Amino acid sequence: MFDQASVVGITTGLDAALDRGEPFCLEVDLTQSTRLDWKELKAFGAYARASKERHNALLFTVALVILSAMVRGAIKVLFQIHSPGYAHRVLQHRSEALEYMEPYLAQLRQGMAANG
């Protein structure tokens, strides 16, 4: 379930990555989520709005892995209504997420190699 613990875990991890000040790709594993809690979605939305500038500056792409078709569909609708300023994809399997993120990871690796 996408509950308070999920929101805290995601936002804490995001803040830690953002605090490093380097661009990154993110895979969010919501495979255990079978339903959405509106209160938690609102809380995450408030966090996303407050951190939007940092997210847009450093998040290269986000892949959300969600097994539940209902949850995937709901998240896709939310992304259509409130599209973030970075690439994103909602997928069913981790293998799809890794395949989706590979070109973005390759770009990050090239940038790191160029910067020595």
Side-chain angles (χ1 to χ4, degrees):
M1 173 174 58
F2 188 75
D3 57 10
Q4 183 176 6
S6 298
V7 172
V8 170
I10 292 168
T11 58
T12 300
L14 262 172
D15 283 341
L18 291 165
D19 288 345
R20 287 193 296 268
E22 300 172 354
F24 64 99
C25 297
L26 178 66
E27 176 190 339
V28 179
D29 181 350
L30 294 174
T31 54
Q32 300 303 310
S33 297
T34 56
R35 68 180 186 88
L36 297 172
D37 184 317
W38 182 246
K39 178 181 167 188
E40 296 350 40
L41 280 175
K42 284 177 54 176
F44 185 78
Y47 164 80
R49 285 188 298 280
S51 304
K52 183 177 182 174
E53 191 173 303
R54 290 178 76 199
H55 291 174
N56 291 347
L58 296 173
L59 268 172
F60 211 48
T61 190
V62 173
L64 291 101
V65 181
I66 306 170
L67 293 178
S68 166
M70 182 198 73
V71 176
R72 266 195 327 276
I75 296 295
K76 286 178 181 180
V77 168
L78 288 172
F79 274 141
Q80 287 178 350
I81 295 169
H82 300 287
S83 183
Y86 47 84
H88 60 280
R89 180 94 32 104
V90 179
L91 303 150
Q92 185 174 6
H93 301 288
R94 184 160 195 261
S95 60
E96 295 170 319
L98 295 174
E99 184 178 329
Y100 162 73
M101 288 192 308
E102 181 50 40
Y104 296 97
L105 292 167
Q107 284 182 292
L108 287 177
R109 285 190 294 270
Q110 287 175 352
M112 290 170 61
N115 293 328

